[in-house]
Amino acid sequence: MSSGKLKKLPEVGDEVEYAPGRMAIVTDIREGIPYLRKPGIREWRVQDPTSLTVMRTRAERIAANDFS
């Protein structure tokens, strides 16, 4: 039985969890594939966008003045 809650796919600027306790920012979406970046690490593509969990949207990050 489904819970009825759909998982939100990430958008550019969202902070996502890509592995337990590991966060990154979505910098681009090319052909439906999100690209992530962390400070000091080059951008990389995600094979399965549904594996990402949106922790904060771009709007929430802007409201918190967090652009790291």
Side-chain angles (χ1 to χ4, degrees):
M1 180 187 245
S2 173
S3 67
K5 185 176 180 181
L6 295 177
K7 187 173 182 178
K8 180 186 180 308
L9 290 177
E11 298 177 4
V12 172
D14 290 352
E15 178 182 56
V16 296
E17 184 178 56
Y18 62 91
R22 295 185 181 246
M23 308 294 198
I25 303 298
V26 178
T27 58
D28 198 2
I29 300 175
R30 302 175 202 151
E31 297 180 10
I33 304 296
Y35 283 72
L36 305 182
R37 172 166 247 158
K38 289 180 65 161
I41 299 176
R42 292 183 54 166
E43 182 180 71
W44 74 95
R45 65 183 265 160
V46 175
Q47 295 298 324
D48 180 10
T50 63
S51 69
L52 301 174
T53 301
V54 176
M55 303 306 284
R56 291 188 303 163
T57 65
R58 178 178 184 267
E60 291 169 331
R61 291 181 59 235
I62 290 170
N65 200 28
D66 178 14
F67 300 99
S68 58

